[in-house]
Amino acid sequence: MNTIFKITFAALFLIFSGSNAVAQVKQQKIARVDQMPNLPEPFQIIDYKKLAVRFDSTVYDFNAKGKYWPMVWIDSSKKNFPQDVVGLYTAVADVRQGTNNKGMFHEALATMGATLGASLVGIDKTKQQNKNYVGMLKNYFNSETGWDIMMNNTCPEVALLGGGYGRDWWYDVYPNLLFYAVYDKYPNEPGFEVIAKSIAEKFFKADSILNGNYDYSYFDYGKMKPMKNNICAQPDAAAGHAWVLYAAYKKFGDPRYLKGAKSALSALQSQPINPTYELLMPFGAYLAARLNAEAGVEQYDTNKMLGWTFDGTAICREGWGVLVGNWNGFDISGTVGSTVDHGGYGFLMNTYDMAWPMVPMVRYNQSYATAIGKWMLNAANASRFFYPQYMPNEHETIPELAEVSKGVIGYEGIIKQSSYKEYENLKGPVAQGDGPLWVPGQNPKESQFSVYGSGHVGIFGSIIRETNVAGILQLNLLVTDFYSDKAYPSFLYYNPYTTKKNVSIQTEQGKKVDLYNTVSGRFVAHNVSSSAKIKIAPESAAVLVCVPSGGKITYEGSKMLVNGVVVDYNFQQKR
């Protein structure tokens, strides 16, 4: 049992004021991030929260006017649950959707992603236009097929239209991560507990059957059998299993789910080569850092999983990772996708979604604060280029059709050289989308605008805030740290400049707080009631936690707590 050391606030202040009392946390490098510019150019951070709010009000308007609008419809097929469900276009004017195919073809990646994104920026999706968009998500729980998990479609009748239903593992796993994230925001939504437990049971049993071997194309959760098809193996599905099972453990307290989470994460870690396929690897890196921190023991190789996440060395999904480069004067570093397809092809949804696990990971391992802060600055800067209003016309495939996006829908991706012959002479970066390729000859050019990817903007919108210093962002470490233990407001700041900068830190009005920097292991301000100026060293990061002023400090192993709440998981006091 760890000895708990109690210290008075006055004594603590003396300790932290001493120049040699604590050790600065050495920052670990992520090789791919080292190749990115400290301050990307041309530089501009758009208001992602405002964009998220506008996306929600614009896209969820059943009376929207304009060519190809509205973007939503009602599916009354009542699959899995006796209720209507909203359908959201995957891409503008996708001919598979709307009233076509009996209104049944819509994707959880779109509807769940948009619901989560809106919820993260403070919109209550249970009470909107007299509709409960949260409750509608239950229709993706495929009980009629016997799979009893969330899937990307509501039924097999539309499965072959696209979206990988029941044959492409990440498509089957990822909707369950999205669901659990939504469930964390709406813990009292009727019916969600039963669904969440069913998913956890299925994932736990699947992991037991797989027994460390995730080298399959997908898993049949109805027959409970691993399967192979023409799609290469996706061992990074283990990261998705692990994240969901750990969330279930934190929610329900069943130790089997913790066992399953650790088993799946160990299976992931044992891979001899980079098993990255699509979106799941970052969740493995996050969970590795979190489990290590909460246990106080280095059980999992976070660095290995971060390398797999960023480096573009995946074999199955060749080159999948984080892009680096300056294309004709545009820094596109930080976007996520293929590092090799036509010179590099970054996708909007993938970029947004990677921030979900990567940013809160810094809470549990602040040695990555500088690397993640730098990556997020690049990603936040480059992500505006997906939107036609921020990308110069000569770098877009269809700038003349941009009006259909209403300023809230971006292109699906940005690519170094267009994959379309008619646009191959455009200089990169080229904003485009794959929509016309999904239904050749039928999907119009406008289907290059990605509704599904744009709906995830609330992830960036909830995390990113600008400060008084252009180029230094405030990144919220808690907002996507789902199923976390009690924590005080925590923020990451990265200084990309070669000089020290004074940053204004805004705190909650009416509460006095002390600001503790987990990177330096010091309190940097006391009795702050509204704002404070904090110095951040050149090309470095600070992780500031707003703790109650004068709180009681205790230690449990490597953890430093204030009033019983962990503030620093890796306190490094010199002995």
Side-chain angles (χ1 to χ4, degrees):
M1 182 180 294
N2 290 325
T3 302
I4 299 178
F5 299 95
K6 294 190 176 179
I7 249 172
T8 66
F9 180 78
L12 180 79
F13 181 77
L14 290 174
I15 288 174
F16 280 100
S17 298
S19 59
N20 296 314
V22 291
Q24 179 93 9
V25 175
K26 183 179 179 181
Q27 293 299 289
Q28 298 195 62
K29 293 182 177 296
I30 298 175
R32 198 79 170 164
V33 178
D34 283 347
Q35 301 173 39
M36 299 178 188
N38 286 348
L39 192 63
E41 295 180 352
F43 184 75
Q44 181 186 356
I45 302 298
I46 64 175
D47 189 334
Y48 287 100
K49 181 180 181 182
K50 183 178 179 180
L51 182 57
V53 171
R54 286 179 52 227
F55 175 91
D56 183 74
S57 62
T58 304
V59 170
Y60 278 87
D61 181 0
F62 283 85
N63 300 310
K65 306 299 182 186
K67 187 179 182 182
Y68 298 128
W69 286 79
M71 290 292 148
V72 288
W73 73 94
I74 291 295
D75 170 8
S76 299
S77 61
K78 296 178 172 53
K79 295 293 182 179
N80 303 304
F81 279 86
Q83 62 177 12
D84 291 342
V85 60
V86 69
L88 185 68
Y89 275 84
T90 298
V92 171
D94 192 325
V95 298
R96 303 169 297 175
Q97 300 179 308
T99 56
N100 296 315
N101 294 301
K102 300 179 182 179
M104 295 191 299
F105 185 67
H106 41 86
E107 298 190 65
L109 290 183
T111 51
M112 282 191 189
T115 301
L116 175 61
S119 302
L120 287 172
V121 295
I123 297 169
D124 185 348
K125 295 292 286 183
T126 64
K127 301 173 183 177
Q128 199 176 38
Q129 307 157 329
N130 295 316
K131 294 180 177 64
N132 181 352
Y133 294 111
V134 176
M136 287 179 178
L137 299 179
K138 290 187 293 189
N139 289 65
Y140 293 100
F141 180 70
N142 276 235
S143 58
E144 292 177 5
T145 63
W147 280 43
D148 292 327
I149 62 170
M150 288 291 186
M151 295 185 72
N152 195 40
N153 305 126
T154 62
C155 59
E157 288 95 315
V158 294
L160 295 179
L161 293 173
Y165 180 99
R167 61 188 182 276
D168 191 350
W169 207 348
W170 85 270
Y171 268 115
D172 300 330
V173 171
Y174 199 60
N176 296 280
L177 278 74
L178 288 167
F179 169 75
Y180 257 87
V182 172
Y183 184 29
D184 187 58
K185 300 297 292 181
Y186 301 94
N188 299 314
E189 182 61 30
F192 271 25
E193 180 177 335
V194 172
I195 290 173
K197 286 184 175 178
S198 175
I199 294 166
E201 287 296 320
K202 286 286 187 173
F203 279 19
F204 175 75
K205 290 174 184 175
D207 177 78
S208 301
I209 291 166
L210 291 161
N211 194 27
N213 178 15
Y214 275 75
D215 293 329
Y216 294 93
S217 305
Y218 71 101
F219 192 90
D220 187 320
Y221 294 90
K223 298 176 182 176
M224 297 307 292
K225 289 176 57 178
M227 308 292 286
K228 291 187 177 182
N229 57 23
N230 62 314
I231 298 172
C232 63
Q234 299 178 34
D236 64 339
H241 272 179
W243 188 92
V244 167
L245 285 168
Y246 192 69
Y249 166 67
K250 297 299 286 188
K251 179 67 179 180
F252 302 117
D254 189 328
R256 293 181 305 130
Y257 300 155
L258 175 61
K259 178 183 177 183
K262 290 181 174 180
S263 169
L265 197 60
S266 294
L268 180 70
Q269 181 164 287
S270 70
Q271 291 297 311
I273 59 174
N274 186 348
T276 292
Y277 187 79
E278 182 86 14
L279 278 169
L280 297 172
M281 186 59 71
F283 293 90
Y286 159 86
L287 189 58
R290 182 170 175 179
L291 286 172
N292 289 345
E294 292 181 341
V297 179
E298 286 291 320
Q299 300 171 283
Y300 301 100
D301 192 342
T302 307
N303 213 41
K304 181 179 185 179
M305 295 182 202
L306 284 172
W308 285 342
T309 296
F310 278 87
D311 286 349
T313 55
I315 303 300
C316 164
R317 199 76 178 274
E318 184 189 1
W320 209 257
V322 178
L323 279 67
V324 172
N326 182 291
W327 299 343
N328 297 305
F330 292 82
D331 280 318
I332 54 76
S333 293
T335 54
V336 180
S338 171
T339 63
V340 296
D341 186 359
H342 290 79
Y345 196 177
F347 293 93
L348 182 57
M349 186 186 81
N350 298 65
T351 306
Y352 281 155
D353 285 23
M354 189 162 137
W356 160 4
M358 285 291 94
V359 173
M361 181 195 71
V362 176
R363 273 195 70 218
Y364 301 103
N365 192 333
Q366 63 266 42
S367 69
Y368 295 108
T370 298
I372 296 301
K374 181 177 177 179
W375 165 66
M376 271 299 291
L377 181 62
N378 277 272
N381 179 71
S383 290
R384 76 182 190 276
F385 295 135
F386 292 98
Y387 293 88
Q389 64 267 38
Y390 297 110
M391 180 67 100
N393 286 356
E394 61 269 25
H395 290 278
E396 300 177 47
T397 52
I398 50 171
E400 73 281 3
L401 302 175
E403 184 180 357
V404 76
S405 74
K406 294 194 175 184
V408 299
I409 300 173
Y411 288 93
E412 185 181 17
I414 51 177
I415 194 168
K416 191 170 186 179
Q417 181 181 29
S418 179
S419 53
Y420 295 96
K421 281 192 174 182
E422 60 189 299
Y423 304 119
E424 62 186 9
N425 293 326
L426 293 177
K427 288 186 176 181
V430 179
Q432 66 165 53
D434 292 340
L437 306 177
W438 299 337
V439 193
Q442 296 185 53
N443 263 2
K445 290 182 177 181
E446 286 90 342
S447 63
Q448 293 181 68
F449 291 116
S450 170
V451 185
Y452 83 92
S454 302
H456 294 230
V457 62
I459 294 172
F460 268 28
S462 63
I463 290 172
I464 300 168
R465 296 291 180 273
E466 291 193 274
T467 67
N468 64 305
V469 181
I472 297 183
L473 304 179
Q474 174 185 280
L475 304 177
N476 190 325
L477 302 187
L478 298 186
V479 69
T480 58
D481 191 17
F482 301 112
Y483 302 96
S484 61
D485 295 331
K486 184 178 179 181
Y488 300 122
S490 305
F491 305 96
L492 167 61
Y493 303 84
Y494 163 67
N495 176 9
Y497 299 100
T498 56
T499 57
K500 185 183 299 183
K501 295 293 181 181
N502 291 320
V503 180
S504 291
I505 309 300
Q506 308 300 316
T507 62
E508 186 178 348
Q509 294 280 348
K511 289 186 177 181
K512 282 191 175 183
V513 297
D514 299 328
L515 300 180
Y516 176 81
N517 182 1
T518 69
V519 175
S520 67
R522 300 176 184 274
F523 281 93
V524 294
H526 295 278
N527 297 313
V528 179
S529 57
S530 60
S531 66
K533 287 270 190 179
I534 302 299
K535 292 180 180 179
I536 303 180
E539 299 178 5
S540 65
V543 175
L544 299 184
V545 186
C546 305
V547 306
S549 286
K552 181 184 288 187
I553 287 81
T554 56
Y555 295 99
E556 296 180 9
S558 62
K559 303 181 184 72
M560 190 270 272
L561 304 85
V562 174
N563 293 344
V565 175
V566 177
V567 171
D568 187 343
Y569 282 95
N570 303 285
F571 179 72
Q572 298 186 16
Q573 185 173 353
K574 289 184 178 178
R575 301 302 181 190

